[in-house]
Amino acid sequence: PEHEKVFFAYNTIAQDQIAKGQSADAIATLGEMAEKHPADPQAATALLTIVSLWNQQANTLGRYFALNEAQRGQWKTAIANSLAAAEKVLLVYPESQQVPLAMQYLLGGQKLLASAKLKTDEEVTQYFQELAAKFDDKPRTKSKILFALASFTYEKDKTKALDQMTAAYNPQLVYGAADIDLYASVLLEQGKTEQAVQLYQKLAADFPNPDPAHPEKAPLQIQEAQAIALFGAAKALQSQGQIVPAAEKFDAFKKLYPRSPAPKILEANYGIALAAHQQNQDDKAIPLLIQVFRAPTASVSLRANAMLLHAKIQETKNETLPAIDQYLKIALFYDSVPATAAEALWCGGQLLEKQAATLPATSQNPKDVTRATQLKKAAKVYSDLITKYPNSPHIKEARARHAELDPASK
């Protein structure tokens, strides 16, 4: 029982039990290993597998609100046991490499409790604060707990979350890939590109590929970290206007890590499409953009920007009516992305005016599109831009065009 391979014996038994659908037996097997061999380097791994199994039980049951009373009791027990095992990883093995993963499970479990209305946001915040206080003498672990709190805060208040991450961050520590991804992403949004790049470089160094020639053979944890680091480097280049070098990294990201989360693959597609458009390869860009703005897993802002670029390509290809329709749809459906919606209104107004110059002034058929009808639409578009987006960089030009087209508004 003291052999260095004892964990692998327990784990083999547990995996066989899992394959037979006997998760409760597998949990007991791994629990015995952690209890009888607490000094074994793999004891934390056994506990983390237990966390995963309890989580699977809860997920198999389904969404909390869709369950009956008996199932809700089982769901709450599974989440509670998962959290307890994850906390044990922190308390007993605070220096273990499993701590970042345990923190992700803790964060996920607390989010599930909040979404099920079993905890308020304030109670989740208090939970992490109290947990962090238990590690005042272990600043490394405390920092990672506070990062988890910042991840929870991010969904409600990005500025506060950035402050929390900045205060908790210690460059001497190894953080989970998800934590670094969130921190660096917020820094990029704030225009702090150099700091973000340093974080992505550190992530790649903290989780090196054992065989750089075959990154696909690396453990999943290393693949995830390397994928995020490569994706982040591409995003940083994109934010600096280096569209083509960014696309090269996005392309490498897709080829090396095709199983990355769909939202990241879609962002990579958009980055590649941007470069293709810049290089006059619109036939390559169009299918990528359509894939992005039709994907429900893409963020709202990404869908809006993909749709805008697609409309601009339609305009350059002299597909005037589809482009006008696309611009106005963006303004209608994506007003939650103000910069993109405002740009779409400006482009739509300009294209309406350009189209109007090619049309007859009037027509005896009221159904005909004429110069007067399109200029009237353009005036309305400029009016919407002025009213909804007074901070748009096109505001002065929009006011001038609106005054020209609708003198009565002066």
Side-chain angles (χ1 to χ4, degrees), residues 375-406:
L375 290 178
K376 185 176 180 180
K377 283 184 182 179
K380 176 64 169 59
V381 166
Y382 293 135
S383 176
D384 288 345
L385 174 56
I386 294 164
T387 304
K388 294 180 180 179
Y389 309 107
N391 295 322
S392 166
H394 299 294
I395 194 67
K396 289 184 179 179
E397 297 166 291
R399 284 180 178 142
R401 295 310 308 144
H402 183 251
E404 179 71 23
L405 296 175
D406 186 7

Side-chain angles (χ1 to χ4, degrees), residues 334-399:
Y334 294 106
D335 57 355
S336 62
V337 191
T340 305
E343 178 73 12
L345 283 172
W346 171 251
C347 292
Q350 289 286 283
L351 190 53
L352 280 164
E353 287 198 71
K354 183 178 178 181
Q355 182 200 27
T358 67
L359 298 173
T362 59
S363 173
Q364 293 182 347
N365 187 344
K367 293 183 179 181
D368 285 347
V369 177
T370 65
R371 186 182 311 161
T373 57
Q374 296 308 82
L375 290 178
K376 185 176 180 180
K377 283 184 182 179
K380 176 64 169 59
V381 166
Y382 293 135
S383 176
D384 288 345
L385 174 56
I386 294 164
T387 304
K388 294 180 180 179
Y389 309 107
N391 295 322
S392 166
H394 299 294
I395 194 67
K396 289 184 179 179
E397 297 166 291
R399 284 180 178 142

Side-chain angles (χ1 to χ4, degrees), residues 6 18 67 85 100 103 110 136 138 169 172 176 199 212 220 225 232 241 260 279 300 323 399 401:
V6 71
I18 291 169
L67 306 179
M103 286 308 315
Q110 292 297 321
D136 284 337
K138 293 182 174 64
Y169 180 68
Q172 303 304 315
L199 285 174
L220 289 179
S260 295
Q279 296 173 309
V300 173
R399 284 180 178 142
R401 295 310 308 144

Side-chain angles (χ1 to χ4, degrees), residues 86-367:
E87 287 177 9
K88 190 171 182 179
V89 173
L90 266 65
L91 292 167
V92 181
Y93 307 101
E95 301 301 321
S96 166
Q97 292 183 349
Q98 306 302 335
V99 166
L101 287 174
M103 286 308 315
Q104 290 305 310
Y105 278 117
L106 281 176
L107 177 62
Q110 292 297 321
K111 283 183 175 180
L112 284 173
L113 291 173
S115 66
K117 306 299 181 185
L118 297 174
K119 273 191 173 183
T120 64
D121 290 350
E122 291 73 20
E123 287 172 332
V124 173
T125 298
Q126 184 180 359
Y127 166 82
F128 282 114
Q129 289 173 338
E130 290 177 353
L131 185 61
K134 295 178 182 179
F135 294 90
D136 284 337
D137 60 336
K138 293 182 174 64
R140 297 168 66 88
T141 306
K142 183 175 182 178
S143 174
K144 293 170 184 177
I145 295 169
L146 292 175
F147 249 79
L149 172 58
S151 296
F152 180 76
T153 304
Y154 176 79
E155 297 179 6
K156 310 292 181 182
D157 188 336
K158 291 185 179 182
T159 302
K160 184 177 180 181
L162 178 58
D163 290 341
Q164 289 174 335
M165 287 185 283
T166 302
Y169 180 68
N170 181 341
Q172 303 304 315
L173 304 184
V174 174
Y175 292 89
D179 288 335
I180 294 299
D181 192 23
L182 178 63
Y183 188 19
S185 295
V186 178
L187 287 170
L188 280 178
E189 288 179 10
Q190 300 284 330
K192 300 177 180 179
T193 307
E194 289 187 11
Q195 289 175 255
V197 169
Q198 290 173 3
L199 285 174
Y200 287 125
Q201 290 173 342
K202 172 178 161 51
L203 179 62
D206 287 341
F207 295 89
N209 265 321
D211 182 2
H214 299 283
E216 74 283 356
K217 295 182 180 180
L220 289 179
Q221 188 177 7
I222 290 177
Q223 287 194 47
E224 179 191 18
Q226 289 292 330
I228 288 173
L230 181 56
F231 177 85
K235 287 285 289 181
L237 287 169
Q238 188 182 71
S239 71
Q240 294 172 323
Q242 299 185 53
I243 304 301
V244 174
E248 291 171 357
K249 289 191 178 294
F250 279 132
D251 190 54
F253 163 77
K254 286 180 62 180
K255 289 177 180 176
L256 292 174
Y257 307 105
R259 296 183 181 178
S260 295
K264 279 186 164 51
I265 295 292
L266 292 166
E267 281 203 60
N269 283 345
Y270 176 71
I272 295 168
L274 272 177
H277 176 59
Q278 191 177 88
Q279 296 173 309
N280 298 315
Q281 298 173 359
D282 286 337
D283 288 342
K284 177 182 176 181
I286 289 171
L288 291 171
L289 292 171
I290 292 174
Q291 183 182 359
V292 172
F293 66 68
R294 287 182 177 174
T297 51
S299 67
V300 173
S301 61
L302 183 63
R303 292 201 302 270
N305 286 323
M307 203 168 175
L308 179 63
L309 180 56
H310 185 245
K312 289 183 176 181
I313 290 173
Q314 288 176 316
E315 182 176 351
T316 61
K317 293 168 75 72
N318 293 318
E319 297 173 2
T320 303
L321 291 178
I324 290 173
D325 182 59
Q326 190 101 302
Y327 284 135
L328 300 188
K329 280 182 178 177
I330 295 167
L332 179 63
F333 296 134
Y334 294 106
D335 57 355
S336 62
V337 191
T340 305
E343 178 73 12
L345 283 172
W346 171 251
C347 292
Q350 289 286 283
L351 190 53
L352 280 164
E353 287 198 71
K354 183 178 178 181
Q355 182 200 27
T358 67
L359 298 173
T362 59
S363 173
Q364 293 182 347
N365 187 344
K367 293 183 179 181

